Amino acid sequence: MRAKIREALYIGLFDALPLLRDPMLLVVISLFSFLPVIFIFVFANQASAVQSLIGAIVLTFSFTGLFASQSVYFNKQWFRFQDMFVASRVSPASYALGLSVSGLVVALPSVVVALSILILSGVASVVGILLVIATSAILWIGLVFVGFAIGATTKNARRANSIPQVLSIALGFLPPVYYPLDRLQSFPIAQALAMLIPTTHAAQLSKYYLGLISMPGWQVGVGWAYLLGFAALMGIFASRRAHWVDP
């Protein structure tokens, strides 16, 4: 187990080197999920801004999982780095997690700042922060598998870049992650569709654990079951669809 963790960390640091060498890219990528928070803070009230800040934290983990597809594609099709990892007996799970860790390394500064703001504002407790990280991490694992499957199966550079961007809009900006789920009460169909999206459950649980919304116990259980089931299902999907070694 320790060997697998070391493999993932080394791969993640290796993949993050080009981003760490360019501070401008570091700023752009780390703040990508937090730009809507600024607009909500300016045009809405403070309570909405706090909820959007939690949504940005959840989506930072989500996007780093999805956009691992680009590293998978370019390492496999262009740079041929994946052939080196296959020859060195690196496991596919360590490789996928490592590439997503590189995104977390880049996004970590903005997440730390956001969590610090929540703690200093008195909204979050230590237990609440840990639970937010736990829900985000489960969602991250599921989307790592999605990103790995996309990058390993696509043969087109445009698709490797465009598919994660389309999915990020569908998973992050359309469902109630930045905004409260109550806004969809007048649209039952939209609310039902939103509950089918995993980022909605991660955001709802995070807001609940920080005391911003109330949820009955059964909804909390359903949220956890959905996230765990999503991660397991995506793991099976990636193992079936993504080819670690080309036939």
Side-chain angles (χ1 to χ4, degrees):
M1 185 62 181
R2 292 181 178 178
K4 302 298 182 184
I5 294 175
R6 284 199 301 268
E7 287 177 357
L9 290 176
Y10 291 150
I11 293 171
L13 292 174
F14 171 76
D15 191 62
L17 283 177
L19 298 175
L20 294 176
R21 289 176 178 174
D22 191 342
M24 294 306 297
L25 279 177
L26 181 64
V27 172
V28 170
I29 294 176
S30 62
L31 293 180
F32 179 72
S33 302
F34 291 87
L35 288 178
V37 179
I38 299 174
F39 292 96
I40 293 174
F41 178 78
V42 173
F43 296 106
N45 54 36
Q46 184 177 357
S48 299
V50 171
Q51 287 205 27
S52 66
L53 191 61
I54 297 170
I57 295 171
V58 171
L59 290 183
T60 297
F61 284 87
S62 304
F63 292 160
T64 55
L66 271 179
F67 283 93
S69 62
Q70 297 177 347
S71 294
V72 173
Y73 171 80
F74 286 106
N75 285 345
K76 182 178 182 180
Q77 303 295 338
W78 284 33
F79 307 128
R80 313 304 298 182
F81 285 151
Q82 184 170 318
D83 295 340
M84 298 169 55
F85 291 125
V86 171
S88 62
R89 297 183 180 180
V90 171
S91 69
S94 299
Y95 179 64
L97 288 176
L99 292 181
S100 191
V101 165
S102 68
L104 287 180
V105 169
V106 175
L108 188 60
S110 58
V111 173
V112 171
V113 171
L115 292 176
S116 301
I117 293 173
L118 291 174
I119 293 174
L120 293 175
S121 62
V123 174
S125 63
V126 175
V127 176
I129 291 297
L130 292 177
L131 290 171
V132 169
I133 294 175
T135 55
S136 301
I138 295 173
L139 178 64
W140 169 67
I141 290 172
L143 291 176
V144 165
F145 291 129
V146 174
F148 182 73
I150 293 172
T153 55
T154 185
K155 303 295 183 181
N156 188 295
R158 293 181 179 177
R159 291 180 182 176
N161 290 321
S162 61
I163 292 177
Q165 294 176 9
V166 173
L167 287 177
S168 66
I169 294 174
L171 295 175
F173 298 110
L174 296 181
V177 178
Y178 286 105
Y179 61 93
L181 182 62
D182 320 3
R183 299 287 178 87
L184 299 179
Q185 284 184 349
S186 302
F187 307 96
I189 297 178
Q191 190 172 23
L193 290 175
M195 296 308 294
L196 297 177
I197 302 175
T199 48
T200 300
H201 291 277
Q204 286 293 103
L205 288 174
S206 298
K207 295 171 185 177
Y208 167 75
Y209 286 122
L210 294 184
L212 298 177
I213 62 173
S214 59
M215 293 172 59
W218 67 269
Q219 284 189 2
V220 176
V222 168
W224 279 105
Y226 189 98
L227 288 177
L228 291 170
F230 174 77
L233 184 62
M234 292 303 101
I236 296 172
F237 172 76
S239 64
R240 299 279 180 87
R241 291 285 300 168
H243 299 292
W244 179 233
V245 180
D246 288 332

